[in-house]
């Protein structure tokens, strides 16, 4: 065999042994990987919404305790109410205390009176239930009568 014949056979072997990914294989792999990467995202969104509801539920109960403290320390009545997607804490001596925004997926409502409140001595003036809802889940904060135990459910 001549040198040119060996060279041509080796070129053919190189050409036939070179194979790569086809476009279909690349797109299929990309589709599978992108689908798998979306699974943790949906799980994390669910976890985030549960965490937001839990945080706001705890925060609302703490704010209600703060309202009682303000009523006793300022020796005046104090209110906790919902107003245009905000929780408002105010004392009845015309002293505005706090206004906290409620983010849109979270909704808050207080039963029929639309406010919870305390007298100057810390006893309950307006009892009721604050209901928090977020993506189908619901939690409540209840203010009882008398000295008004604050319950979280």
């Amino acid at each position: 065999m001549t040198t040119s014949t060996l060279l041509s056979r080796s070129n053919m072997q190189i050409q036939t042994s070179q194979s790569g990914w086809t476009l279909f294989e690349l797109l299929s792999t990309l589709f599978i990987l992108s689908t798998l990467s979306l699974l943790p995202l949906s799980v994390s969104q669910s976890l985030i919404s549960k965490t937001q509801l839990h945080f706001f539920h705890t925060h609302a109960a703490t704010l209600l305790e703060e309202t009682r403290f303000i009523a006793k320390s300022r020796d005046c009545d104090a209110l906790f109410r919902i107003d245009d997607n905000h929780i408002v804490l105010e004392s009845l001596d015309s002293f505005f205390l706090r206004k906290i925004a409620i983010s849109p997926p979270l909704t808050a409502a207080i039963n029929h009176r639309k406010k919870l409140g305390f007298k100057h001595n810390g006893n309950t003036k307006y009892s009721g239930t604050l209901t928090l809802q977020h993506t189908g889940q619901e939690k409540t904060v209840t203010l009882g009568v008398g000295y008004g135990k604050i319950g979280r459910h």
Side-chain angles (χ1 to χ4, degrees):
M1 288 188 151
T2 62
T3 311
S4 63
T5 309
L6 285 175
L7 190 56
S8 65
R9 282 189 182 175
S10 64
N11 284 344
M12 282 191 344
Q13 286 178 350
I14 291 173
Q15 289 175 354
T16 56
S17 67
Q18 287 182 351
S19 65
W21 295 84
T22 65
L23 181 60
F24 178 74
E25 291 170 332
L26 286 173
L27 289 176
S28 299
T29 304
L30 194 62
F31 175 75
I32 291 169
L33 290 176
S34 62
T35 304
L36 290 175
S37 68
L38 290 177
L39 290 176
L41 183 63
S42 65
V43 171
S44 67
Q45 289 295 336
S46 171
L47 185 61
I48 287 171
S49 68
K50 285 180 184 178
T51 305
Q52 284 176 338
L53 181 61
H54 177 72
F55 168 77
F56 209 88
H57 182 241
T58 304
H59 193 56
T62 304
L63 289 172
L64 204 51
E65 286 288 350
E66 184 179 339
T67 307
R68 180 194 314 261
F69 174 77
I70 289 165
K72 288 173 73 174
S73 65
R74 295 182 58 83
D75 196 30
C76 67
D77 294 354
L79 295 178
F80 177 101
R81 63 184 172 86
I82 305 293
D83 182 29
D84 296 329
N85 285 335
H86 288 84
I87 289 181
V88 179
L89 274 63
E90 61 188 354
S91 61
L92 294 185
D93 63 354
S94 301
F95 183 71
F96 174 75
L97 301 171
R98 229 186 246 207
K99 193 172 190 177
I100 299 156
I102 301 170
S103 57
L106 179 72
T107 59
I110 298 176
N111 61 349
H112 61 280
R113 276 197 198 98
K114 304 293 183 198
K115 59 187 170 186
L116 302 172
F118 298 95
K119 297 177 186 175
H120 64 87
N121 61 0
N123 288 342
T124 304
K125 183 173 185 174
Y126 301 109
S127 62
T129 302
L130 168 69
T131 304
L132 301 168
Q133 292 180 335
H134 191 290
T135 60
Q137 297 178 341
E138 183 177 290
K139 291 198 175 214
T140 59
V141 178
T142 305
L143 175 61
V145 295
Y147 188 70
K149 180 181 177 187
I150 297 172
R152 297 185 316 162
H153 309 284

